[in-house]
Amino acid sequence: MPKPSIAIGMVGYKFMGKAHSNAYRQINQFFDLPLRTRLKTIVGRDANKVAAMAERWGWETSTDDWRRVIDDPEIRIVDICSPNNTHYEVALAALDAGKIVACEKPLAMNGAQAREMAAAARGKINTVWFNYRRVPAIAFARQLIDEGRIGRIFHFRALYLQDWTLDPSVPLLWRMDKDVAGSGVTGDLHSHIVDLSNYLAGEITAVAGTSRIFVNERSRPEGGASKVEIEDASIFVAKYADGAIGHFEATRFANGRKNGNTFEINGEHGSLYFDLEDMSRLWYFDSREPKHIQGWRKISVWEEMHPYMKQWWVPGCAIGYEHTFGNQAADLIAAVAADRPMKPDFDDGLRCQLVLDAVLEACESDRWVTVVKQ
Ligand code: SOE
């Protein structure tokens, strides 16, 4: 008997559109899921380009009207990977139509929008694509923390470093357009490391920081030029509810760094270190070992018992960036089939967004800002 299928409608078709399409196409082969994903409709503003995307990635139909996925009774999952300023309207319409919503990060343009979205989603299955939670080494870090291996956390220290806007001739693409993106590296990159901190280190209560715009004017892809209004780089420090302190840096001006996402966590019994550019590895230091053999242990997270690894290849055949989306898509389909909640959800998206709002305010005002309670 063929498995029942679940129809997906996707709004957006560029970088994340590919990442999500690839995930939905792969997971039934690698995971034993009760439902088969059906890539039904993909939406984009440019009808020709989205039609080409549909053809290439195996979507049944394409359209330039996002309401078609909302109005289609066959579609159960609405996946939103269009620019940030579209998330709010599309997600609310989809939730109102009873759809399961999977939304790219950051969830919204600001905390106020995210609060409404989280309220509308509560009690329903939904998720935010904080895909790095599904890097096996990061899920494994969470496992080690839950096992008490590093004990009470004192420090969370994260860097997210890129360099793709360093060249002043790079035009003002949507990620640099305040009206479309809402913010610069704060929504784009801090969102990932703040979510990882929420996942691994606990609740951030207050932040102080500074940000910079290094290139003040850029050409527009459609012609002309505009003043740049989003931050190119941002550094902040954080206080946690349980007394830990944190340090976060996000930039698109770290010459030579392409997707340098690293963090270190220092606890009372040990420490953990992760680097996305060597993503099969988790570094672990255990200070309860006898001193003469203490040292940083480089764990290759590719054994069968490590999170998600049993589903992919044999140990030593490492997996990569795309698999983090596969892992999340598979968890989503499994959650839908079992009718159980999925994490991270819109409440996690809101939690992150409230920290991001506080970071933007802190950088603007040069003051400590208390994170608004969820
Ligand atoms: C930014 O360059 C970006 O594409 C982010 O938007 C993604 O979320 C990140 O995973 C890779 O970098």
Side-chain angles (χ1 to χ4, degrees):
M1 261 255 295
K3 284 181 187 174
S5 68
I6 179 158
I8 300 164
M10 186 181 284
V11 181
Y13 67 101
K14 294 203 174 155
F15 177 23
M16 283 304 120
K18 286 185 200 165
H20 298 189
S21 300
N22 182 54
Y24 291 128
R25 285 178 63 81
Q26 275 196 332
I27 53 176
N28 285 108
Q29 286 71 45
F30 286 94
F31 292 77
D32 191 15
L33 296 168
L35 298 170
R36 180 156 283 282
T37 51
R38 176 177 168 207
L39 281 65
K40 188 162 185 212
T41 306
I42 185 161
V43 185
R45 260 183 267 249
D46 183 319
N48 292 329
K49 285 189 183 157
V50 75
M53 162 78 186
E55 164 71 22
R56 186 165 179 155
W57 287 85
W59 287 87
E60 290 171 26
T61 53
S62 68
T63 172
D64 58 4
D65 176 7
W66 62 268
R67 292 205 176 266
R68 270 191 42 203
V69 303
I70 310 289
D71 295 340
D72 183 341
E74 269 191 350
I75 289 178
R76 285 192 63 205
I77 297 181
V78 173
D79 189 308
I80 306 170
C81 49
S82 43
N84 303 349
N85 65 342
T86 62
H87 295 184
Y88 172 78
E89 189 183 9
V90 179
L92 286 184
L95 289 166
D96 191 45
K99 310 291 187 194
I100 292 151
V101 182
C103 187
E104 253 306 323
K105 49 53 62 174
L107 178 61
M109 296 285 275
N110 51 49
Q113 282 190 351
R115 193 178 288 288
E116 262 188 75
M117 293 161 81
R122 227 158 270 146
K124 300 170 183 159
I125 302 171
N126 59 88
T127 193
V128 180
W129 287 96
F130 287 123
N131 60 301
Y132 294 128
R133 287 193 187 200
R134 260 89 178 176
V135 173
I138 295 182
F140 185 53
R142 170 68 192 256
Q143 185 188 318
L144 296 186
I145 291 167
D146 289 346
E147 288 170 5
R149 289 183 188 273
I150 64 167
R152 179 183 158 197
I153 292 173
F154 300 126
H155 294 285
F156 183 85
R157 202 174 298 112
L159 308 178
Y160 203 150
L161 312 177
Q162 299 186 342
D163 69 357
W164 62 278
T165 66
L166 198 146
D167 178 351
S169 71
V170 173
L172 197 109
L173 303 169
W174 77 259
R175 285 200 185 285
M176 285 180 267
D177 185 335
K178 192 165 190 191
D179 293 341
V180 184
S183 66
V185 292
T186 307
D188 193 20
L189 303 182
H190 273 322
S191 58
H192 277 304
I193 51 182
V194 166
D195 179 66
L196 289 182
S197 161
N198 288 340
Y199 179 53
L200 299 169
E203 185 192 347
I204 296 174
T205 53
V207 295
T210 193
S211 64
R212 284 289 177 282
I213 299 173
F214 293 123
V215 172
N216 292 305
E217 193 180 271
R218 288 187 190 265
S219 63
R220 285 208 158 259
E222 65 276 18
S226 282
K227 193 166 166 252
V228 177
E229 291 176 306
I230 54 90
E231 67 294 349
D232 291 320
S234 160
I235 298 179
F236 74 91
V237 287
K239 297 182 200 176
Y240 288 75
D242 63 3
I245 50 177
H247 162 196
F248 298 72
E249 179 173 350
T251 178
R252 294 175 179 150
F253 275 68
N255 219 337
R257 298 286 176 201
K258 304 301 164 185
N259 207 24
N261 179 353
T262 59
F263 65 77
E264 181 164 307
I265 309 175
N266 307 123
E268 61 180 328
H269 305 312
S271 294
L272 296 167
Y273 173 76
F274 171 80
D275 175 359
L276 184 67
E277 291 181 343
D278 186 18
M279 65 185 279
S280 295
R281 248 59 74 175
L282 183 70
W283 293 80
Y284 170 46
F285 180 87
D286 180 358
S287 62
R288 288 183 294 192
E289 282 186 329
K291 251 211 159 54
H292 65 295
I293 55 155
Q294 272 179 19
W296 280 92
R297 190 179 304 168
K298 181 166 99 171
I299 305 173
S300 293
V301 186
W302 54 36
E303 298 295 333
E304 268 206 0
M305 74 290 284
H306 288 136
Y308 301 105
M309 289 313 295
K310 199 166 157 229
Q311 310 304 327
W312 300 104
W313 309 113
V314 295
C317 296
I319 63 166
Y321 178 70
E322 77 204 62
H323 301 86
T324 63
F325 294 93
N327 293 339
Q328 182 158 354
D331 284 345
L332 174 64
I333 300 302
V336 173
D339 195 22
R340 59 165 191 255
M342 168 72 186
K343 293 290 270 179
D345 60 12
F346 277 25
D347 270 314
D348 295 300
L350 168 62
R351 196 168 157 207
C352 178
Q353 202 87 45
L354 293 172
V355 176
L356 302 182
D357 276 8
V359 170
L360 291 169
E361 193 186 328
C363 293
E364 178 81 35
S365 66
D366 253 334
R367 292 224 162 88
W368 276 96
V369 172
T370 302
V371 176
V372 173
K373 282 265 173 223
Q374 202 158 343

